[in-house]
Amino acid sequence: MSTRTFPPARLLDGPAPILAAALLWGTTGTASSLAPGGAPAAGIGAAALVLGGLLLFLTSRAAWALPLVCRTRERWLLALGALGVVGYPVTFYPAVVRTGVAVATVIALGSAPVFTGLLAWLTGQGRPSARWSGATALSVLGCALLVLGPRLSGGTPIDLLGVLLAALAGLSYALYSLIGGRLITAGHPSGAVMGAMFGGAAVLVLPVLALEPSDWLASVRGTAVVLHLAVITTYLAYRLFGHGLRHTTPQTATTLTLAEPAVAALLGVLALGEHLPPLSWCGLALLATGLAALAA
C-alpha cells in the first residue's frame, strides 16, 4: 500500500490553527443557547452555514475559479466534500433532539477521527500510526468521560436512531476533512478549497432554511447568534482549519478538534454556571493529555 508522508508540522503551522478553530467551535453551544425561544435547531444551523459558506466562497477569488481549473476527479471530490459539509448539520441537529447535546457531541466528534483514519487507510493515504491511535483512543475516552460524566449515573435510555444520526454526522465531518486535506496537499490554496466546498454546501442547504420558520431571524438576538455562528464558528474557524490541514494530516486534525467539547464544557462552567462532576474533570485531564501528545 502506498502511503502519503507529511513533514513534521511546526506548532504554529499545523496544530495551533486547528486547536484555535476547535476553540471557536466550542462557543457554538453557548451561542446557540442564546437564540430566541422557538428558533429551530436545524434552522439555526442552516442559516449559519448559508451565510458562513457564502463568506468563505466570496472572500476567496481562487474559490470561484477552483472548479474550472481543477481536474475532473477533483471536481467530483469538491462535490462530495460539499455533500459532506451539508451532511453534518442535517444529521447532527436531529441527533441532538433525539439523544441530547452530550451524547450527540461525543458520538459525532468521537467517531470522526476513527472514520478519518479508516477512510484514509482504505483510500491509500496512509496507515494510522501507533502514536496517532494511542493519542486518539485516549482523547476519545477523555471526551466521553468529560461530556457524559453528569449522565453516567442517571441510567437514561439511549435513542438508537439518534446514535446512528450522530455517527453519520461524524462520518460527514471525516469525509469533508479528508477531502479538504487531500485537495490542499495536492497544491490548491486552502482558502479556495474551503470556499468552494462551503459555497457549494450553502447552496445545497438553502431548501432546509426555506422550509424552517425564519421569523426569529428578524430579532436582534437571532441576528446576533447567526452572525456569531457564521462569522466566528464557520468563516474564521474553517479558514484556520484549512490552513492547519496544509501542514497536518486529516487524521491528526480531526483528533485535535476533540478540544471543542472541552472548550464548550469550560464555557458552560464559567459563563452559564454549570457544574462538572469529578468524573468529567478526569475526562478533561485525559483529553488534554491525548491532545498534548498528538500536538507535541
Side-chain angles (χ1 to χ4, degrees), residues 7 20 121 172 206 222 238 249 260:
W121 190 4
S172 298
L206 277 174
Y238 277 101
T249 65
E260 176 187 345

Side-chain angles (χ1 to χ4, degrees), residues 68-160:
L68 300 176
V69 300
C70 62
R71 295 170 295 181
T72 302
R73 177 183 174 84
E74 292 175 332
R75 292 193 193 101
W76 283 108
L77 285 175
L78 280 174
L80 188 58
L83 287 175
V85 172
V86 172
Y88 187 85
V90 168
T91 53
F92 180 73
Y93 287 107
V96 168
V97 173
R98 300 187 71 95
T99 68
V101 175
V103 175
T105 299
V106 166
I107 294 173
L109 293 182
S111 64
V114 179
F115 280 130
T116 307
L118 291 175
L119 287 173
W121 190 4
L122 292 174
T123 56
Q125 298 183 51
R127 183 174 182 173
S129 67
R131 177 171 182 165
W132 175 86
S133 300
T136 297
L138 189 64
S139 299
V140 170
L141 175 61
C143 178
L145 292 176
L146 166 65
V147 181
L148 297 181
R151 296 181 52 135
L152 288 178
S153 59
T156 305
I158 300 297
D159 185 289
L160 292 180

Side-chain angles (χ1 to χ4, degrees), residues 48-288:
L49 179 54
V50 168
L51 180 56
L54 289 176
L55 281 173
L56 282 167
F57 180 74
L58 295 175
T59 55
S60 174
R61 288 187 178 182
W64 310 356
L66 185 58
L68 300 176
V69 300
C70 62
R71 295 170 295 181
T72 302
R73 177 183 174 84
E74 292 175 332
R75 292 193 193 101
W76 283 108
L77 285 175
L78 280 174
L80 188 58
L83 287 175
V85 172
V86 172
Y88 187 85
V90 168
T91 53
F92 180 73
Y93 287 107
V96 168
V97 173
R98 300 187 71 95
T99 68
V101 175
V103 175
T105 299
V106 166
I107 294 173
L109 293 182
S111 64
V114 179
F115 280 130
T116 307
L118 291 175
L119 287 173
W121 190 4
L122 292 174
T123 56
Q125 298 183 51
R127 183 174 182 173
S129 67
R131 177 171 182 165
W132 175 86
S133 300
T136 297
L138 189 64
S139 299
V140 170
L141 175 61
C143 178
L145 292 176
L146 166 65
V147 181
L148 297 181
R151 296 181 52 135
L152 288 178
S153 59
T156 305
I158 300 297
D159 185 289
L160 292 180
L161 179 57
V163 170
L164 176 61
L165 289 170
L168 289 175
L171 178 60
S172 298
Y173 176 38
L175 181 64
Y176 71 77
S177 298
L178 196 62
I179 290 174
R182 183 164 186 165
L183 293 172
I184 289 168
T185 54
H188 298 294
S190 59
V193 172
M194 289 296 162
M197 286 199 304
F198 276 79
V203 175
L204 292 174
V205 84
L206 277 174
V208 177
L209 183 60
L211 292 174
E212 293 287 347
S214 58
D215 53 327
W216 60 275
L217 282 169
S219 67
V220 174
R221 285 176 62 187
T223 301
V225 167
V226 169
L227 283 176
H228 175 85
L229 295 176
V231 177
I232 303 299
T233 68
T234 302
Y235 172 74
L236 182 57
Y238 277 101
R239 277 297 184 97
L240 289 166
F241 186 68
H243 177 72
L245 281 177
R246 181 168 294 282
H247 306 279
T248 309
T249 65
Q251 299 96 305
T252 299
T254 50
T255 299
L256 289 172
T257 55
L258 287 172
E260 176 187 345
V263 175
L266 291 176
L267 277 177
V269 172
L270 297 175
L272 303 179
E274 296 178 353
H275 171 72
L276 288 180
L279 189 61
S280 292
W281 288 109
C282 292
L284 181 61
L286 285 176
L287 176 57

